[in-house]
Amino acid sequence: MARDDLVRLTGNVGGPNCDDDDCPNVYRAVGGSIVVQGNICHAFTPRAGEGLVEIPETVLRKAVRALGW
């Protein structure tokens, strides 16, 4: 999947030090799946090919509103 295949659902919520691509965000892929960008979380080791990220609740709420859920 390429970056062009993603629709950004959230904006910069991390403050003045955030650029367009380096803050927690939620995206929707062409096929309808959700892609989350956030800080790496080490709570447990996920299966191969998976990862854990941590995002602020405000980012998730904004994404839900953007999707009309």
Side-chain angles (χ1 to χ4, degrees):
M1 171 182 331
R3 183 177 203 86
D4 292 343
D5 296 330
L6 302 175
V7 174
R8 189 173 178 169
L9 300 174
T10 56
N12 294 341
V13 298
N17 296 326
C18 287
D19 292 325
D20 288 338
D21 299 328
D22 66 353
C23 293
N25 282 295
V26 178
Y27 302 85
R28 187 168 212 178
V30 172
S33 63
I34 302 296
V35 176
V36 179
Q37 174 186 355
N39 295 324
I40 295 173
C41 176
H42 299 286
F44 64 90
T45 303
R47 296 185 297 178
E50 295 182 351
L52 302 175
V53 297
E54 184 176 349
I55 60 168
E57 181 181 329
T58 55
V59 173
L60 187 56
R61 287 180 182 273
K62 188 171 183 177
V64 168
R65 283 194 302 272
L67 291 167
W69 291 353

